[in-house]
Amino acid sequence: MIGLRPGRLESVVALGAHCDDIAIGAGGTLLTLCASRPGLRVDALVLSGGGTPREDEERAALAAFCPGAQLDVTVLKLPDGRFPAHWEEAKNALEELRRRTDPDVILAPRTDDAHQDHRGLAKLVPTAFRDHLALGYEIVKWDGDLGAPSVYQPLDDDVAEEKVRLLQTHYASQRHRGWYDREAFLGLARIRGIEAAAKYAEAFFVKKLTLDLKG
């Protein structure tokens, strides 16, 4: 696994099992990256929601979370909650994405996520992207599966607020959910910020990381 070199970050792959996963788990990081690197290439692949209003939400949301980026979004039609039975289709989609991309970093679900769709996608990532740094984002939910992350991206106050605003603006289909609110998103960001010696942060899980300390 190749570690992230701060001086070289030109391409990002963002993976989600469902529409809104990427934005919830790594929306602040995408806003930070795109603001500091105009023209950044972002290839997003979402495995479910294709052909439904949720795809429209996702495309509009990711455009807002990636301002100024060279953004390409693919939304597939795998059935929500049934990804283990569609493993081959999901793997083929990742392998096709790998053939046309060579990202500096991958944003994806974490491998020990309690949701089977998130977990299944996370476990496929290293089968297609063998030599890339993958950051596993977290999504708060009723399962109570939050863990102890090892990597943090501090978020400026305005970025944390903008993330919440964009989540509320673009995913109208999710507003009825009891956990989908400002307090949940900012609350988790505040906790991760404390752990990262910042006010707000997003946290990630890493399975492997190779250092390059030659200077």
Side-chain angles (χ1 to χ4, degrees):
M1 194 68 65
I2 296 177
L4 180 62
R5 297 183 290 276
R8 178 179 176 269
L9 208 169
E10 302 172 351
S11 176
V12 174
V13 159
L15 303 173
H18 315 99
C19 297
D20 78 16
D21 285 355
I22 295 169
I24 292 173
T29 297
L30 285 173
L31 285 168
T32 300
L33 284 171
C34 292
S36 62
R37 292 170 170 81
L40 178 73
R41 176 175 175 175
V42 179
D43 289 278
L45 172 64
V46 181
L47 298 185
S48 67
T52 73
R54 295 218 64 197
E55 178 177 357
D56 297 332
E57 288 183 342
E58 184 75 337
R59 291 185 178 279
L62 291 180
F65 275 102
C66 301
Q70 302 176 55
L71 176 64
D72 182 80
V73 179
T74 300
V75 183
L76 303 184
K77 300 180 179 181
L78 273 63
D80 188 354
R82 298 291 186 271
F83 287 4
H86 296 266
W87 181 92
E88 184 173 2
E89 187 176 351
K91 181 171 173 58
N92 287 341
L94 259 69
E95 290 181 341
E96 191 281 328
L97 177 61
R98 174 65 185 97
R99 284 191 289 270
R100 60 184 174 84
T101 61
D102 186 21
D104 297 306
V105 65
I106 298 168
L107 304 172
R110 56 192 180 92
T111 56
D112 56 351
D113 192 295
H115 194 299
Q116 70 272 14
D117 291 352
H118 301 170
R119 189 170 62 251
L121 173 56
K123 290 182 177 179
L124 278 175
V125 172
T127 72
F129 294 89
R130 294 183 178 275
D131 299 312
H132 298 79
L133 174 63
L135 302 180
Y137 56 72
E138 58 183 352
I139 297 178
V140 63
K141 49 188 170 302
W142 72 271
D143 305 81
D145 64 346
L146 293 177
S150 54
V151 177
Y152 298 85
Q153 171 58 53
L155 303 178
D156 292 341
D157 290 10
D158 60 334
V159 171
E161 294 283 355
E162 179 70 354
K163 173 183 175 177
V164 173
R165 187 187 73 80
L166 292 176
L167 286 171
Q168 294 289 354
T169 298
H170 289 287
Y171 295 107
S173 65
Q174 304 304 298
R175 292 177 192 154
H176 69 284
R177 299 185 181 278
W179 56 268
Y180 197 92
D181 59 29
R182 172 186 172 84
E183 288 81 5
F185 297 132
L186 277 185
L188 180 58
R190 181 70 185 106
I191 291 171
R192 298 315 190 196
I194 292 170
E195 295 170 352
K199 183 172 182 181
Y200 296 115
E202 285 179 337
F204 301 91
F205 298 74
V206 176
K207 285 293 184 180
K208 290 184 180 181
L209 174 67
T210 299
L211 300 177
D212 181 1
L213 303 178
K214 291 184 293 186

